[in-house]
Amino acid sequence: MPWVLGRLPAGYRAIVVDNGSTDDSAAVARAHGAIVVTESRRGFGAAAHAGLLAATAETVAFCDADASMDPSELPRMVALLAPAVREVTPGTVTPGTATLTGARLVLGRRRPTSRGSWPLHARLANRALSLLIRLRSGVVLHDLGPMRVARRADLLALGLIDRRSGYPLEMVLRTNERGWSIVETDTAYSPRVGRSKVTGTVQGTIGAIRDMSRLLSAVKNSAVQNGAVKTSAAMNTASKNGDDG
């Protein structure tokens, strides 16, 4: 954690969420200038969302604090975001309709810096998940990207509800549902310090896949239901047109 916090670019503020750690992580974070938020609920999504709610900046970023990702790469990712749209005070100049040409969500595509950076089982699971995301939702991704940036207002508007391992996937799916642009950019991925409860174990990886598969199944079912509704509406329209004729 000290390495990660020490690599934050100038002007960036760290928020560390503690949702059940049994070591001195919170104390270490405070000692290195981070704001520490306590979240009683366990789960990746619970911690990530608590950090989002605690943030006050216009732009937010998510990054694991295990030294696998370098926060010094964040400004390059932030530069890919669509510019913020500000409301104009009534009585002043009325702006035209703003078209956001940049991304609304930027994902860091992990590029291992060494052979041991990314366990084989986790890499294979990520590849399978990327394929499922493409088949079920149409979103073309190579990596779900644990390091990501977005506008805080955009993320809050998504109404994310998953508080487990499905949180990052739900963020992608809901962003896509709104028709917002998602882009990937390569980021270095180094061997983590310590053992991950998710990618570091086969059981953790299986649990994450289970959480994400549930979300993807919901997307598929929704698509089928929407298709059925559209087909029914089309049939009703055709029937009415036939009656009129």
Side-chain angles (χ1 to χ4, degrees), residues 8-9 15 21 48 50 68 119 131 133 159 169 171 197 227 245:
L8 279 177
I15 297 175
S21 66
S68 61
L131 179 59
I133 293 173
L169 174 58
M171 186 184 298
K197 295 186 291 293

Side-chain angles (χ1 to χ4, degrees), residues 15-21 26 30 35-54 162-164 167:
I15 297 175
V16 174
V17 180
D18 180 2
N19 68 334
S21 66
R30 290 190 183 95
I35 295 173
V36 177
V37 175
T38 301
E39 169 56 58
S40 60
R41 291 171 295 179
R42 302 299 293 268
F44 176 87
H49 201 72
L52 173 63
L53 295 178
D162 192 287
R163 296 296 181 265
R164 294 172 57 84
Y167 186 84

Side-chain angles (χ1 to χ4, degrees), residues 105 107 127-144 148 168-184 216 219:
L105 178 62
L107 307 178
R127 188 172 300 176
L129 178 61
S130 297
L131 179 59
L132 281 175
I133 293 173
R134 184 178 306 184
L135 293 176
R136 296 285 177 87
S137 69
V139 181
V140 180
L141 293 179
H142 299 88
D143 186 8
L144 199 51
R148 51 184 58 196
L169 174 58
E170 184 186 16
M171 186 184 298
V172 167
L173 296 176
R174 290 189 180 274
T175 298
N176 180 63
E177 286 173 358
R178 294 210 171 207
W180 294 348
S181 176
I182 303 172
V183 301
E184 293 181 294
L216 289 172
V219 170

Side-chain angles (χ1 to χ4, degrees), residues 182-235:
I182 303 172
V183 301
E184 293 181 294
T185 184
D186 289 353
T187 53
Y189 192 59
S190 304
R192 62 168 287 145
V193 175
R195 190 184 189 192
S196 170
K197 295 186 291 293
V198 180
T199 60
T201 66
V202 174
Q203 182 178 359
T205 298
I206 292 174
I209 292 175
R210 183 173 59 247
D211 290 341
M212 295 181 186
S213 296
R214 173 173 46 80
L215 287 170
L216 289 172
S217 294
V219 170
K220 181 180 179 180
N221 292 336
S222 176
V224 170
Q225 292 174 2
N226 289 338
V229 170
K230 290 179 180 178
T231 300
S232 177
M235 290 177 66

Side-chain angles (χ1 to χ4, degrees), residues 9-78:
Y12 283 60
R13 181 184 62 175
I15 297 175
V16 174
V17 180
D18 180 2
N19 68 334
S21 66
T22 56
D23 53 19
D24 294 327
S25 295
V28 171
R30 290 190 183 95
H32 286 80
I35 295 173
V36 177
V37 175
T38 301
E39 169 56 58
S40 60
R41 291 171 295 179
R42 302 299 293 268
F44 176 87
H49 201 72
L52 173 63
L53 295 178
T56 57
E58 188 176 82
T59 302
V60 295
F62 297 87
C63 179
D64 292 343
D66 56 12
S68 61
M69 289 163 278
D70 189 346
S72 68
E73 297 192 62
L74 288 174
R76 178 172 56 82
M77 297 176 66
V78 171

